[in-house]
Amino acid sequence: MQLLHFAILSPFLFAFIIPFLAKYAKRVHTGWFVLILPVLLFIYFLPMIRMTQSGETLRSVFEWIPSLGINFTVYIDGLGLLFALLITGIGSLVTLYSIFYLSKEKEQLGPFYVYLLMFMGAMLGVVLVDNVMVLYMFWELTSLSSFLLIGYWYKREKSRYGAAKSLLITVSGGLCMLGGFILLYLITDSFSIREMIHQVQLIAGHDLFIPAMILILLGAFTKSAQFPFYIWLPDAMEAPTPVSAYLHSATMVKAGIYVIARFSPIFAFSAQWFWIVSLVGLFTMVWGSFHAVKQTDLKSILAFSTVSQLGMVISMLGVSAAALHYGHQEYYTVAAMAAIFHLINHATFKGSLFMAVGIIDHETGTRDIRKLGGLMAIMPITFTISLIGTFSMAGLPPFNGFLSKEMFFTSMLRVTHFDLFNVQTWGALFPVLAWVGSVFTFIYSMKLLFKTFRGSYKPEQLEKQAHEAPIGMLVSPVILVAFAVSLFFFPNILSYSLIEPAMNSIYPTLLDSHEKFHVHISQWHGLNTEVLMTAGIIVIGTIGYLTMNKWKGIYKLFPSKLTLNRLYDKLVTLMEKGSYRVTKQYMTGFLRDYLLYIFAGFIILMGGAFVIKGGFSFTTEGMAKIGVYEIILTLVMISATAATVFARSRLTAIISLGVVGYTLALFFVIFRAPDLALTQLVIETISVALFLLCFYHLPKLRLKKKTRTFRMTNFIISLGVGIIVTLLGIASSSQRTKDSIASFFTKHSHDLGGGDNVVNVILVDFRGFDTMFEITVLTIAALGIYSMIKTKVKEEGKSGE
Amino acid sequence: MNEQKTNDIILQTVTKLVSFIILLFSFYLFLSGHNAPGGGFVGGLITSSSIVLLLLAYDLKTVRSILPVNFIYVAGVGLLLAVLTGVGSFVFGAPFLTHTFGYFQLPILGKTELATATIFDLGVYLVVVGITMTIIQTIGEEE
């Protein structure tokens, strides 16, 4: 285990100390201790840029379950490092923010930071691990820690609902992904992603290619809140705002993007990948931005905005698949570049926006946009942060969102030039959808900003007297928006340090040994279509925002009964109630029903085996002659059995059962089994006596001498069992393949066992072991009866007192 | 029993005689079990049936004063005997429950076969007597 492994595991290890710090160092906010770790990790990861920049990677193996090929292999390349820096960097800022956001006195800080560290470690594991099984482990850990963080205020109904919803959706996606990983393992015989990429030719031609791809995409889409799985994200906004900022905007939701990017070299050459990834992403983008406009809760707007922006990134990743077919010309790889660039940009402006919303919530007591207004003069710094964040989100200059939006349009416009994957027919759809989505993005961004900060201040609707946030709370968002601005002016500080190595790991096969992707980002390309599109967005968006009250009505066109949330709720209740109903249907609580199932199962299984395997056979060979006694005794037994079944009173049934038993003893006599006959006689006597005892003690109340009612099912089932057992007996005695070992016993009973009674010698000598446990059984039965009766007497005595 | 006890003189007198015959028969079945029909199981059942006869003719208290035995212990001793017979074979380095037998010249009986299997069978016998009597006594006492 090397330092790298410890770097990934350090948050988990550190989490062990947190409860003690929270308990014994009460005077210092626990967050200060926590802050050290992400900062250190960030500093630890930062110099590695130099390594990935020169095209090198770092691989370090720690054997975990080598016999299964599951090793804790850390693999650092451009993509992994980019995510690691995002996680630790934004993790540090969020921790700092949370110190001022969460009250030391009112909140349970220990659990909060334990969950947060757990999440950080899990997320680092997801992005830096090469082994898919270990990746899956960390993946589920992110789901779990996210669940814990969403339900942090567990006394609120909505928090619990949101936490359960997110867990259900992300874990079902995660399980699908596990299935995909296992399929990939079946194809390539390796759990290592590196190894899989090397065997891409093998994977491509395999039958399991499509199932594996779809399963892995399901995992990625659920985690990254794509349509129709995005519904957990708006409900996850019940989490404390630092959590929303960290998990649900900057890191966890990007785990799905990471997986899509990571598995691009394996799947991206197929048309299915291109269509699924780009269309789902694009549709999610439009859908999310469209629905963000109607939200009235600030965090809901941001949640839908996150959904939309993630869709945008994913659609770009999907579109970039074309690069694999056209070679590595910049013309096609721009989509991948835009995706990575926007990934970083989104983390900066969405993180800062969440923090700004958290400040507004913290200082005014509400997040409802209808109650807010006129905060511009009261909270100038927060306003500035929000302005930069929203303008960047809307894609306006001079902020970084503008650049990535331009690149997004570029990549979408280039789709129309594809002559691949049958894009020609629908290629025009891409830029149109992208543009429509961007218009709505513009509208909700403006709504977010102006409805909150402009207009009239409504102090009577606010819980608190609004005022500017403490400086500590402002530090993190200010740093983030500083990035947002500076990335516009100096985007190329990222180009060859982060974006190029990351692209290199998404499409490793595209480059020759010393080539590099051309990732120079420029602010101005001249007056091209993209700029005109942005201008159109601003014009149409402004009109749309100003006339919003007029066209708000279209949201009512969507029937509230047909929303995805309602579908989810219905599905959950349906599953709960349905399984309850199904269980209630067959778990009746009546033993007779369960016996019916068992016997019916027996008939179906045995009868089915007879039919399918043709197991039935019948020969008269080796049969003994039937004598008069046998016939007479059989007739007696049949009539006694019939009498038992059709008896009107229980006493008759008991007596005729006794007749059956004594006839059996007689059968033992004529079939020359004296020991059996003796034992059968005595035992039958005793059991009849016990039956009579039971009969005598039947409670008086219920003692209506009822004849048994006839039930058709019971009749059929019992007839079936009888027939099957008879057939089984005939078939098994007709197909004797081996001689019996009985001859050994008769031959050696005297010289080995020292006795002439073969039965007895077998019982006590040859097979004495069985006998020993049979007498144990008898003893247990006796003790059982004894204790049952004795303890019952005691209880009665107690209740009588 | 609430009712007045009827005079069971004939039953009791016959029982005095018959129960010994039954007891003797059960011993015979037990001892001859190795070479003729019988053995510990039937022997035990019939021994307990002679005790049951006593129970029917007299009552629980009387029988308990005749046979001051706790029958659960009898079953326990029987089980222990059976297991110890098996363990005993370890002393001679043989697998569990290995039996042996031999012919001996005994004072009165003459040449007799003695087998370790009989000790095991004695265990079975005691268990059967013990459990039958336990069950019957427990159920009988219940009222």
Side-chain angles (χ1 to χ4, degrees), chain A residues 287-594:
Chain A
W287 182 275
S289 59
F290 178 66
H291 283 270
V293 178
K294 75 166 178 182
Q295 305 302 321
T296 52
D297 181 286
L298 289 176
K299 274 175 102 177
S300 292
I301 300 179
L302 289 180
F304 276 98
S305 151
T306 304
V307 170
S308 160
Q309 303 277 321
L310 293 173
M312 180 174 152
V313 174
I314 284 178
S315 71
M316 287 189 272
L317 280 176
V319 165
S320 72
L324 275 180
H325 295 266
Y326 287 113
H328 63 275
Q329 296 103 314
E330 194 223 343
Y331 196 68
Y332 301 102
T333 53
V334 69
M337 181 171 95
I340 297 163
F341 189 47
H342 192 69
L343 192 77
I344 304 167
N345 293 343
H346 179 247
T348 59
F349 66 69
K350 193 53 66 65
S352 64
L353 277 177
F354 265 110
M355 290 176 188
V357 165
I359 290 170
I360 294 166
D361 187 16
H362 205 259
E363 305 308 337
T364 63
T366 185
R367 297 194 312 248
D368 195 327
I369 208 160
R370 289 166 297 193
K371 294 182 185 170
L372 293 165
L375 294 176
M376 188 154 77
I378 302 168
M379 306 169 85
I381 307 174
T382 316
F383 169 69
T384 318
I385 295 166
S386 308
L387 179 105
I388 298 171
T390 45
F391 275 30
S392 177
M393 184 158 75
L396 300 176
F399 307 109
N400 56 0
F402 172 72
L403 299 178
S404 43
K405 179 136 296 179
E406 294 291 284
M407 281 150 75
F408 170 56
F409 286 146
T410 313
S411 52
M412 288 301 145
L413 284 170
R414 283 175 190 177
V415 174
T416 48
H417 300 293
F418 284 9
D419 48 1
L420 267 177
F421 311 134
N422 305 317
V423 177
Q424 296 88 334
T425 341
W426 296 98
L429 199 67
F430 284 77
V432 171
L433 276 178
W435 188 80
V436 171
S438 301
V439 169
F440 283 114
T441 307
F442 183 87
I443 295 175
Y444 73 69
S445 301
M446 294 307 117
K447 179 180 172 185
L448 183 71
L449 183 69
F450 291 116
K451 294 266 170 177
T452 315
F453 291 99
R454 288 292 303 271
S456 54
Y457 178 52
K458 297 167 232 173
E460 71 283 355
Q461 293 200 14
L462 301 179
E463 285 170 27
K464 297 179 189 170
Q465 183 69 37
H467 56 85
E468 186 58 276
I471 186 80
M473 234 166 161
L474 292 167
V475 171
S476 303
V478 164
I479 294 174
L480 283 173
V481 290
F483 267 110
V485 179
S486 52
L487 281 182
F488 173 78
F489 291 107
F490 312 105
N492 290 314
I493 49 170
L494 291 180
S495 298
Y496 288 99
S497 56
L498 281 175
I499 299 178
E500 195 273 330
M503 281 173 77
N504 208 346
S505 26
I506 299 179
Y507 294 115
T509 50
L510 282 183
L511 288 184
D512 296 331
S513 53
H514 292 295
E515 271 184 306
K516 281 194 169 182
F517 287 107
H518 179 70
V519 286
H520 188 77
I521 303 166
S522 53
Q523 287 87 351
W524 181 247
H525 294 278
L527 194 67
N528 53 14
T529 329
E530 292 90 320
V531 177
L532 290 176
M533 280 168 90
T534 304
I537 287 169
I538 296 171
V539 173
I540 305 285
T542 314
I543 295 169
Y545 171 68
L546 292 174
T547 60
M548 195 157 70
N549 287 331
K550 299 212 170 109
W551 55 271
K552 246 183 187 169
I554 59 161
Y555 287 108
K556 290 190 182 134
L557 292 177
F558 287 92
S560 62
K561 280 187 179 176
L562 288 176
T563 57
L564 284 167
N565 276 318
R566 223 182 138 79
L567 182 76
Y568 165 84
D569 289 338
K570 284 258 168 198
L571 210 65
V572 170
T573 38
L574 189 81
M575 283 200 283
E576 275 173 6
K577 286 202 174 144
S579 54
Y580 175 73
R581 212 171 292 153
V582 169
T583 313
K584 218 182 157 196
Q585 202 91 93
Y586 74 92
M587 297 304 275
T588 51
F590 290 113
L591 270 179
R592 57 167 180 267
D593 289 332
Y594 304 151

Side-chain angles (χ1 to χ4, degrees), chain B residues 101-115:
Chain B
F101 63 95
Y103 296 91
F104 299 95
Q105 205 66 42
L106 290 185
I108 302 164
L109 300 164
K111 187 192 173 201
T112 315
E113 181 201 353
L114 290 180

Side-chain angles (χ1 to χ4, degrees), chain B residues 21-126:
Chain B
I21 298 173
I22 299 175
L23 212 57
L24 218 62
F25 179 58
S26 76
F27 287 151
Y28 165 75
L29 277 178
F30 166 64
L31 286 173
S32 70
H34 219 47
N35 292 310
F41 200 80
V42 181
L45 280 176
I46 291 177
T47 304
S48 39
S49 73
S50 83
I51 305 173
V52 169
L53 186 61
L54 284 174
L55 276 174
L56 289 175
Y58 298 92
D59 56 87
L60 275 170
K61 260 190 192 165
T62 322
V63 176
R64 196 161 282 172
S65 65
I66 300 169
L67 290 166
V69 185
N70 188 343
F71 283 102
I72 292 184
Y73 291 147
V74 175
V77 168
L79 209 54
L80 199 69
L81 208 61
V83 175
L84 283 181
T85 323
V87 174
S89 58
F90 290 156
V91 179
F92 303 98
F96 186 65
L97 268 180
T98 310
H99 289 305
T100 182
F101 63 95
Y103 296 91
F104 299 95
Q105 205 66 42
L106 290 185
I108 302 164
L109 300 164
K111 187 192 173 201
T112 315
E113 181 201 353
L114 290 180
T116 52
T118 313
I119 308 173
F120 183 80
D121 225 12
L122 183 65
V124 176
Y125 173 85
L126 289 177

